[in-house]
Amino acid sequence: MAQFTRGFGSRRRDADPDLPPGQYLTTDFPVLSAGPTPRIPLTEWSFSIRTETGETARWSWDEFTALPSEEVSTDIHCVTRWSKLGTSWRGVALDTLFEDVETSFDFVMAHSYGGYTTNVPLEDLLDGKAWVAYEFDGEPLDPEHGGPARLLVPHLYFWKSAKWVRGLVMQQHDDPGFWEQNGYHLRGDPWLEERYW
Amino acid sequence: MRTTGWLPARIAAVRPTTSHARVLTLDVAGWPGNDPGQHLDIRLTAEDGYQAERSYSIASSGPGERVELAVDTVPDGEVSPYLVQAAEVGDMLEVKGPLGAYFVWHETDTDPVQLIAGGSGIVPLLAMARAHDRSASTAPFRLLYSVRTPGDALYRDEILGLSQRSLDLTWAYTREAPEGWAEPVGRLTADRVAAATWPPSQRPLTFICGPTRFVEAAADAMVAAGHDPARVRTERFGG
Ligand SMILES: Cc1cc2nc3c(=O)[nH]c(=O)nc-3n(C[C@H](O)[C@H](O)[C@H](O)COP(=O)(O)OP(=O)(O)OC[C@H]3O[C@@H](n4cnc5c(N)ncnc54)[C@H](O)[C@@H]3O)c2cc1C
């Protein structure tokens, strides 16, 4: 049984059934990352997927933005407890990016400009669950929110939605990425409160 | 450093550190100790079972079952006004931690350290400066602390004390400076950050903490000055 805290509770926030446990609603868009914001010129940007054979599918910015894209409206949940409901994005579904990728590995390490990494099981990226997003609210994605493009895996805590994503590398095992080595849960389901080790 | 479940914590001492911020000392049976810079989660439970959780940096470090926090009031907030105004010695809450293995300083690291704090962002950086002060570390430590007015600085007297011994200190005031203050008053600019921090040639490890906007601006300024982004670590308190 939890410990009661004398006198607490007078300014409580209303519970919202759309919010996972322990989250509160925010209407602005907080920025959280481990370091400074990288700024990548579109002429230098590329996105790649590398498999166990070393084969690499790669897209330049023009090639990438010419792929079929989708509009995504979704809730997002940060492990630091803010949630934002009904955010709008445009991006390319991971299903589209993986169409011609042959792999027998079940796990993905996402790599970002600036050196960030995060691990995700492949099944959390396919079947309409994840995108590489390059627009937010109808505008090009701001660098501080991960622009030119970021991973968007809204059903997991937002640290999985790697900002400034530059590529995915298939891996045999679910090896931990950056935050996962530094105290955060290997998978990060907000509804199960998978916050920490 | 594996996270435990929720541990009951008893408030052992409270003292004001500014007119709107308070230092809270907690007794936590079973606390495993923590590194300087880590944080914990607290959970408050109302009589009817309603709960709220928030993260707070830990001002203390090392072994022992006492943990020090410092909380600044967010005026329309839910948890911080309770902790700063209502909580008393003897009251109970719960904590989980320590959390985070990245925004930490290890006393075996001999590289110069640059600390940059905005407002309550001083808390994890003070933990580092304290650990450095009481260790045999020869790493040079420097702090740039931005506050609205002199009265808004958390731990002001202690920081002044550290600056007599082991810490190279620069204040930045955004609204109001002490009388006769020669520096400009206002938000930090890239030039002022560059002037008050180690040059890139020293290859410092930089820790920046505070409200999101502040952290973003200070980190950008360090990168613009030529620091390796991989050596600039940030922790954002939101807001
Ligand atoms: C790693 C980490 C370490 C931290 N360390 C410290 C520390 O050492 N010291 C410290 O003082 N703080 C620290 N913080 C910040 C702290 O966790 C809290 O965010 C802060 O105390 C405010 O909490 P609160 O409950 O008072 O405010 P909240 O109730 O969470 O409100 C915060 C803001 O959000 C708005 N808001 C929230 N919910 C709603 C809602 N439902 N409707 C409308 N508006 C809403 C409020 O108006 C307010 O402006 C840290 C944060 C992190 C992530």
Side-chain angles (χ1 to χ4, degrees):
Chain A
M1 189 56 229
Q3 189 71 54
F4 289 132
T5 303
R6 185 203 55 83
F8 170 69
S10 60
R11 297 194 188 203
R12 69 186 60 195
R13 308 292 191 198
D14 289 334
D16 183 328
D18 291 336
L19 292 181
Q23 296 294 113
Y24 70 87
L25 193 66
T26 179
T27 48
D28 59 355
F29 195 166
V31 175
L32 284 126
S33 43
T37 296
R39 293 192 164 72
I40 308 104
L42 297 182
T43 48
E44 283 169 30
W45 185 92
S46 78
F47 180 79
S48 64
I49 302 178
R50 190 168 87 221
T51 69
E52 58 269 35
T53 63
E55 212 161 312
T56 305
R58 189 182 299 279
W59 295 266
S60 69
W61 182 255
D62 289 343
E63 290 163 343
F64 189 80
T65 49
L67 293 171
S69 65
E70 295 175 9
E71 266 179 45
V72 186
S73 177
T74 186
D75 303 342
I76 57 178
H77 311 291
C78 178
V79 69
T80 63
R81 300 176 191 287
W82 57 264
S83 289
K84 202 170 160 57
L85 303 182
T87 58
S88 342
W89 308 80
R90 172 173 294 282
V92 179
L94 272 285
D95 299 296
T96 305
L97 296 168
F98 271 90
E99 249 162 39
D100 297 320
V101 173
E102 291 283 333
T103 179
S104 63
F105 282 3
D106 289 331
F107 302 99
V108 173
M109 185 71 82
H111 291 258
S112 294
Y113 291 93
Y116 181 77
T117 55
T118 191
N119 57 298
V120 197
L122 185 56
E123 64 173 20
D124 275 315
L125 296 180
L126 299 182
D127 295 327
K129 292 201 212 81
W131 297 264
V132 172
Y134 54 83
E135 279 181 17
F136 177 74
D137 257 352
E139 302 284 336
L141 189 59
D142 269 347
E144 64 178 42
H145 292 304
R150 74 180 296 161
L151 206 55
L152 179 64
V153 194
H155 69 290
L156 299 179
Y157 280 126
F158 219 41
W159 89 78
K160 294 289 180 184
S161 295
K163 294 177 178 180
W164 316 294
V165 70
R166 66 184 304 174
L168 308 178
V169 175
M170 297 308 304
Q171 39 175 28
Q172 189 162 18
H173 305 287
D174 201 10
D175 299 324
F178 175 78
W179 284 125
E180 295 82 6
Q181 289 170 35
N182 283 295
Y184 285 168
H185 196 274
L186 209 55
R187 179 148 180 275
D189 183 332
W191 295 93
L192 302 177
E193 285 206 80
E194 292 174 339
R195 295 177 190 279
Y196 312 114
W197 295 335
Chain B
M1 187 221 55
R2 257 199 124 69
T3 312
T4 53
W6 292 101
L7 297 170
R10 180 184 171 279
I11 298 180
V14 297
R15 69 177 169 85
T17 179
T18 70
S19 60
H20 45 77
R22 203 191 220 190
V23 175
L24 299 153
T25 309
L26 308 180
D27 278 335
V28 188
W31 181 254
N34 64 277
D35 290 328
Q38 289 191 291
H39 64 278
L40 51 67
D41 279 359
I42 75 162
R43 180 163 79 180
L44 304 181
T45 305
E47 297 271 347
D48 61 359
Y50 169 82
Q51 294 185 322
E53 295 175 14
R54 295 290 184 275
S55 299
Y56 289 97
S57 294
I58 307 167
S60 50
S61 65
E65 299 193 330
R66 287 227 136 164
V67 176
E68 183 180 312
L69 310 180
V71 179
D72 200 5
T73 310
V74 172
D76 56 351
E78 175 183 357
V79 169
S80 62
Y82 173 80
L83 291 174
V84 175
Q85 290 145 28
E88 307 273 359
V89 170
D91 287 349
M92 298 296 296
L93 47 91
E94 291 170 293
V95 302
K96 187 196 310 216
L99 303 170
Y102 176 69
F103 199 80
V104 295
W105 178 72
H106 297 286
E107 64 179 63
T108 49
D109 191 346
T110 55
D111 290 339
V113 170
Q114 180 66 55
L115 308 173
I116 305 180
S120 58
I122 191 65
V123 180
L125 306 186
L126 177 73
M128 296 178 195
R130 282 173 164 176
H132 168 252
D133 185 64
R134 61 167 191 261
S135 75
S137 165
T138 55
F141 257 57
R142 205 162 169 178
L143 168 65
L144 170 58
Y145 187 10
S146 173
V147 288
R148 285 198 202 102
T149 75
D152 289 314
L154 277 63
Y155 292 107
R156 183 179 182 87
D157 294 343
E158 184 175 345
I159 290 168
L160 288 170
L162 291 170
S163 76
Q164 305 293 312
R165 296 194 299 274
S166 57
L167 186 66
D168 183 329
L169 170 66
T170 307
W171 296 104
Y173 298 102
T174 59
R175 300 258 174 92
E176 190 188 310
E179 205 148 324
W181 190 251
E183 299 291 314
V185 172
R187 294 244 165 129
L188 277 179
T189 61
D191 285 349
R192 286 173 70 203
V193 171
T197 55
W198 300 118
S201 58
Q202 296 261 57
R203 292 197 43 76
L205 186 56
T206 299
F207 295 91
I208 306 176
C209 188
T212 295
R213 291 280 140 214
F214 174 84
V215 169
E216 198 66 12
D220 281 351
M222 291 301 278
V223 174
H227 291 272
D228 177 359
R231 309 233 340 129
V232 178
R233 301 189 179 187
T234 59
E235 184 143 280
R236 295 165 168 89
F237 279 5

